[in-house]
Amino acid sequence: MARKFLYVMAALIALIIVFQITWNFYGTDLIRWYYKPKVAFEQQPALTVNSYDRTDMWLARPDIAGNPALWTPAGYKPRAAPGGSAVFFIHPTSYLNADHWNAPLDDEEANARAALFLRGQASAFNEVGEIWAPRYRQATFGSFLTDAADARRALELAYGDVQEAFAAFLKEVGPDRPIILAGHSQGALHLTHLLKDQVAGTPLARRVVAAYVVGWPISRNNDLAALGLPECTRADQRGCLLSWESFAEPADPALVIDTYDSTTGFDGQPRRGSDLVCTNPLTGTANAAAPASANAGTLFPTEDLASATIQAGKVPARCGERGLLLIGEGPDVGPYVLPGNNYHVYDYSLFWANVRADAARRVAAQ
């Protein structure tokens, strides 16, 4: 019996080693194959104009009980009084299913995962104001791993929902309140279009404290001018844009950059090889480097992801080649590091306390 057990354990170890080798060499290709939908895009009607008047269309807003964006780690508290800046946060991709190109609005797993993202990301802004975060028919994860026409259609459908939500948000917060715009990954992609289509060159731009376009590449040459906000070059600058994509070293950004390099910028020119906007969240400035001692607090999630502790001085950051944000060896913050040492899932939580302080500093600036 003991010998049989050892044989079984040896076989399991061998399988793990084979999987690890396969993942190391073919991880990106496996992800593309597994997550890309094998079905045709399903055309769906646009939401009605008043859809986002309903509270159930929001994951977070000030009048929702159990608002996940109000979570904080020990030692921090959300804003106690109503008011402050109005924060519009677009959550990242939480729908991983390959059965559809777009998430159903009532998908329980996607909505629960989105709520987790709000706790680790949008919560960084809950001291400076009130947070609105809409549900939307997000494009599935596989949409970002292909240049197929169905992927474009899925993203366009999702963006239509975000536009409707943003219109409802603006109506709700009134004409004078300062605004923070923030998103991550797919949410940041939609945010770039909102900035281009509805903020740039309009009176609304003067109300924007800052735009946190995190986890989505922005070409400094091909995209930035169209967004209507300059990149942040001072830590106390208002009306500017921050963006970063986090990688441990050695970094292999192929999963992100290969697809991005095949696209066309907002200026109509190819993005291939262009430098990316890189804000160092530890300094709040562009193209900067800072040691781990400058990190005021990284979130380390519990095993069930329901909560997190915060620890300072653990993660450095520097803007490196091409504009990637490099964080050294990378901390053990959980199992969701993507191939290529891509800490995409943790773009906010690695620097949670610094992002929180950054937002407060910009709100207070004149």
Side-chain angles (χ1 to χ4, degrees):
M1 180 64 71
R3 180 174 295 179
K4 183 177 180 181
F5 174 76
L6 290 175
Y7 287 153
V8 171
M9 291 303 297
L12 288 174
I13 291 169
L15 283 173
I16 291 170
I17 292 171
V18 169
F19 175 81
Q20 201 67 33
I21 292 172
T22 303
W23 184 261
N24 288 339
F25 283 96
Y26 304 110
T28 297
D29 291 333
L30 285 172
I31 286 177
R32 287 194 173 108
W33 173 82
Y34 184 80
Y35 285 106
K36 180 184 173 183
K38 310 302 188 294
V39 298
F41 172 76
E42 305 160 87
Q43 188 61 53
Q44 301 179 49
L47 297 176
T48 61
V49 172
N50 297 321
S51 291
Y52 284 97
D53 290 348
R54 300 183 352 233
T55 57
D56 66 342
M57 289 293 288
W58 298 84
L59 289 160
R61 55 181 276 170
D63 53 353
I64 289 180
N67 184 342
L70 295 181
W71 176 88
T72 55
Y76 294 84
K77 292 182 179 180
R79 180 185 177 90
S85 295
V87 182
F88 186 75
F89 188 91
I90 313 170
H91 73 76
T93 306
S94 61
Y95 184 66
L96 309 181
N97 201 315
D99 292 341
H100 304 282
W101 283 94
N102 290 88
L105 287 169
D106 60 354
D107 188 281
E108 292 185 6
E109 184 177 351
N111 286 328
R113 192 176 289 119
L116 285 175
F117 286 137
L118 293 187
R119 281 199 281 273
Q121 298 177 347
S123 61
F125 302 102
N126 65 27
E127 183 181 37
V128 297
E130 297 171 317
I131 299 170
W132 281 256
R135 303 179 194 271
Y136 65 101
R137 290 173 293 183
Q138 59 183 285
T140 189
F141 176 64
S143 299
F144 297 93
L145 306 176
T146 176
D147 57 1
D150 282 347
R152 175 180 52 78
R153 296 184 184 103
L155 288 165
E156 289 173 351
L157 176 65
Y159 178 53
D161 288 2
V162 170
Q163 287 178 298
E164 292 293 344
F166 189 57
F169 163 79
L170 291 177
K171 182 174 66 175
E172 185 75 22
V173 304
D176 302 314
R177 197 166 171 186
I179 291 171
I180 290 175
L181 301 174
H184 182 250
S185 193
Q186 178 173 173
L189 169 62
H190 296 314
L191 180 52
T192 65
H193 287 278
L194 275 185
L195 288 167
K196 178 176 69 71
D197 298 341
Q198 300 193 29
V199 177
T202 74
L204 183 59
R206 293 194 292 271
R207 295 169 56 190
V208 175
V209 174
Y212 294 80
V213 189
V214 179
W216 188 260
I218 297 175
S219 169
R220 183 175 283 113
N221 295 330
N222 304 111
D223 297 328
L224 187 59
L227 304 185
L229 299 176
E231 64 179 312
C232 295
T233 57
R234 301 194 323 273
D236 61 350
Q237 184 177 354
R238 283 180 69 123
C240 59
L241 177 149
L242 304 88
S243 182
W244 64 89
E245 296 82 40
S246 309
F247 284 81
E249 298 176 77
D252 179 4
L255 190 64
V256 175
I257 295 298
D258 284 358
T259 300
Y260 187 77
D261 272 353
S262 69
T263 62
T264 300
F266 289 143
D267 65 352
Q269 300 300 311
R271 290 180 172 123
R272 181 173 297 279
S274 61
D275 288 336
L276 308 179
V277 172
C278 181
T279 313
N280 189 324
L282 298 184
T283 65
T285 58
N287 303 321
S293 59
N295 193 320
T298 296
L299 293 181
F300 286 82
T302 56
E303 188 172 343
D304 62 1
L305 303 181
S307 190
T309 59
I310 191 162
Q311 299 180 44
K314 297 295 184 180
V315 182
R318 64 181 178 88
C319 289
E321 184 179 357
R322 188 76 194 274
L324 300 178
L325 187 72
L326 303 177
I327 60 169
E329 293 183 4
D332 182 7
V333 287
Y336 301 108
V337 177
L338 296 174
N341 272 334
N342 187 349
Y343 274 69
H344 178 73
V345 174
Y346 308 100
D347 279 326
Y348 275 96
S349 59
L350 288 169
F351 316 105
W352 188 89
N354 290 77
V355 174
R356 190 175 185 84
D358 186 274
R361 191 170 53 243
R362 297 186 196 281
V363 166
Q366 300 299 318

